[in-house]
């Protein structure tokens, strides 16, 4: 019988009680996608104005909901039209422009609809399960049916998310420039990572599953996504630490975001280095995840509270889902350390020992 722990995916979209922040994050994500597209513009061949905007729309819809996803879709479409579709810096309509905008509108509409359907189905499953237990009639049969439906739903969510990553991979085949191909590889890898995390979690048995094996597979995925053989990953997980299945998704996404930041910023101009990942118990029985690198470190005057980084904002929102705290600081001998701390009572409520 389900306890008070609620699956992370059933609580999407995030920040449901803070609509202003959700829509603000969607606006920030749209402009970040535009900035990335501008940086990569010289490397992209003509005819790919929406490449960095599709991931922004999908991530906003998945994490923040249909409304913010739709807002991101509109903003991204306008930014792409104005800056990256000729005649540039104009909203003029030509034959090719209409075709490109029509294709974009069709794709983002389907993506947002799929994500909304999946989240609606998640909520429907949760309500049905609660109603079934409240009625307490034929509980064994209903529980088995709901478990089967829930597992099938997770596979469908995972498959749809990975399908989006596959679409980006198909676009990559038409590019010759290695920088553009790398940018699409990174976008596809991040989207695919969410699907692989979910698929792995719901194929295993929950409470007694091997946390070391789960995080080890995640580290292998992150290392493969970066592709630089000189960057070494060291994983150290205290064997007494346990996490419930529903806590592992936000935990893994926070870890993936911290590792991605270390690789992207700490080793931006380097092909070698070490990223050390440690999961341990702390005084009082809490759990601490730390990701330390020996890269170039934080920029002077870095203030996490004042940062507008979308990645840091999402990491902190995910930490709040675990009733934890996420912070980034400079290492004692250089580099950067990202830390997620879950207090004892919160770690216990999410399956910690």
């Amino acid at each position: 019988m389900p306890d008070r722990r609620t699956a992370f995916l059933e609580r999407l979209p995030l920040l449901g009680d803070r609509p202003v922040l959700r829509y603000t994050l969607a606006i920030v994500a749209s402009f970040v996608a535009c900035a990335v597209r501008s940086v990569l513009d010289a490397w992209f061949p003509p005819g790919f104005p929406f490449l960095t905007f599709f991931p922004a729309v999908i991530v906003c819809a998945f994490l923040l909901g249909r409304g913010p996803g739709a807002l991101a879709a509109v903003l991204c479409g306008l930014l792409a039209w104005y800056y990256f579709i000729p005649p540039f810096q104009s909203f003029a309509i030509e034959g090719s422009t209409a075709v490109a905008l029509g294709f974009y509108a069709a794709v983002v509409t389907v993506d947002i609809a799929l994500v909304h359907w999946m989240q609606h189905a998640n909520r429907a499953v949760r309500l049905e399960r609660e109603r079934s237990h409240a009625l307490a009639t034929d509980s064994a049969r209903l529980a088995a049916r709901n478990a089967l439906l829930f597992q099938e739903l997770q596979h469908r969510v995972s498959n749809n998310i990975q399908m989006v990553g596959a679409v980006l991979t198909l676009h990559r085949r038409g590019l010759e420039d290695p920088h553009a191909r790398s940018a699409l590889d990174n976008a596809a890898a991040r989207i695919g990572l969410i699907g692989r995390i979910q698929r792995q979690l719901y194929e295993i048995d929950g409470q007694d599953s091997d946390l070391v094996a789960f995080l080890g597979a995640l580290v292998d995925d992150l290392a493969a996504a970066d592709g630089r053989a000189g960057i070494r990953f060291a994983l150290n997980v205290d064997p007494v630490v346990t996490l419930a299945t529903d806590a592992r998704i936000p935990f893994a996404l926070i870890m993936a975001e911290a590792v991605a930041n270390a690789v992207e910023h700490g080793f931006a101009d380097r092909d070698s280095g070490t990223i050390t990942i440690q999961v341990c118990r702390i005084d009082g029985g809490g759990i601490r995840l730390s990701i330390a690198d020996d890269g170039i470190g934080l920029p002077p005057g870095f203030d996490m509270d004042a940062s507008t980084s979308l990645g840091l904002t999402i990491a902190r929102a995910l930490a709040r889902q675990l009733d934890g705290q996420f912070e980034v600081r400079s290492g004692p001998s250089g580099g950067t350390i990202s830390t997620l701390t879950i207090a004892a009572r919160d770690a216990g409520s999410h399956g910690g020992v």
Side-chain angles (χ1 to χ4, degrees):
M1 182 174 181
D3 56 19
R4 294 178 299 173
R5 296 171 298 177
T6 303
F8 171 75
L9 289 176
E10 292 182 353
R11 288 182 280 173
L12 289 174
L14 301 176
L15 306 173
D17 58 343
R18 304 179 67 180
V20 174
L21 180 56
R22 289 166 57 208
Y23 283 91
T24 300
L25 289 176
I27 294 172
V28 171
S30 301
F31 283 99
V32 168
C34 183
V36 173
R37 181 63 178 81
S38 297
V39 171
L40 298 176
D41 187 61
W43 297 331
F44 282 167
F48 295 87
F50 304 108
L51 287 183
T52 61
F53 296 102
F54 283 130
V57 174
I58 294 168
V59 170
C60 286
F62 182 78
L63 294 178
L64 304 176
R66 178 180 58 179
L71 175 60
V74 172
L75 287 178
C76 287
L78 291 174
L79 290 169
W81 183 6
Y82 187 78
Y83 288 109
F84 306 110
I85 298 178
F88 300 114
Q89 298 186 5
S90 167
F91 290 112
I93 293 287
E94 297 180 353
S96 59
T97 302
V99 171
L101 291 174
F103 173 80
Y104 169 81
V107 171
V108 296
T109 298
V110 170
D111 289 342
I112 293 173
L114 280 174
V115 171
H116 176 69
W117 174 81
M118 288 184 287
Q119 293 179 350
H120 178 75
N122 269 332
R123 290 192 294 269
V125 169
R126 181 192 64 198
L127 293 174
E128 176 62 23
R129 184 172 60 234
E130 293 173 352
R131 185 180 302 111
S132 298
H133 286 293
L135 294 175
T137 57
D138 202 6
S139 59
R141 180 179 61 84
L142 290 176
R145 186 191 68 176
N146 286 344
L148 179 61
L149 290 175
F150 186 73
Q151 184 179 28
E152 177 63 21
L153 177 63
Q154 306 315 315
H155 286 303
R156 288 179 181 269
V157 172
S158 176
N159 290 339
N160 284 326
I161 292 173
Q162 291 186 322
M163 181 180 66
V164 174
V167 171
L168 293 180
T169 302
L170 289 176
H171 281 295
R172 171 190 178 278
R173 296 178 181 175
L175 300 176
E176 298 295 335
D177 188 276
H179 297 287
R181 292 165 69 93
S182 176
L184 281 188
D185 281 340
N186 290 336
R190 285 173 179 259
I191 293 173
L193 177 64
I194 297 175
R196 290 194 299 275
I197 289 172
Q198 182 183 336
R199 180 184 295 275
Q200 183 182 1
L201 285 177
Y202 288 99
E203 285 179 346
I204 58 182
D205 188 26
Q207 292 183 351
D208 296 327
S209 59
D210 188 353
L211 181 63
V212 177
F214 168 69
L215 295 181
L218 176 59
V219 169
D220 290 342
D221 275 344
L222 296 173
D226 176 63
R228 284 180 282 183
I231 297 181
R232 189 173 68 89
F233 291 81
L235 176 64
N236 181 13
V237 180
D238 188 336
V240 303
V241 174
T242 60
L243 280 174
T245 300
D246 56 5
R248 292 189 182 189
I249 292 179
F251 190 89
L253 290 175
I254 292 170
M255 174 175 155
E257 182 60 39
V259 170
N261 284 337
V263 170
E264 180 180 356
H265 302 294
F267 303 119
D269 300 320
R270 295 170 48 183
D271 292 325
S272 63
T274 301
I275 298 176
T276 302
I277 303 167
Q278 185 176 31
V279 182
C280 63
R281 297 294 296 270
I282 57 178
D283 292 342
I287 297 174
R288 175 178 293 141
L289 164 69
S290 66
I291 299 94
D293 66 72
D294 57 357
I296 61 175
L298 295 172
F302 174 80
D303 183 356
M304 183 171 176
D305 292 332
S307 174
T308 59
S309 166
L310 179 62
L312 288 178
T313 302
I314 291 176
R316 296 175 75 176
L318 291 171
R320 286 195 293 271
Q321 293 289 324
L322 295 172
D323 297 324
Q325 182 177 5
F326 179 78
E327 61 179 0
V328 180
R329 68 182 189 278
S330 297
S333 57
T336 304
I337 301 176
S338 301
T339 305
L340 168 67
T341 304
I342 308 174
R345 60 182 182 279
D346 303 320
S349 69
H350 289 89
V353 175

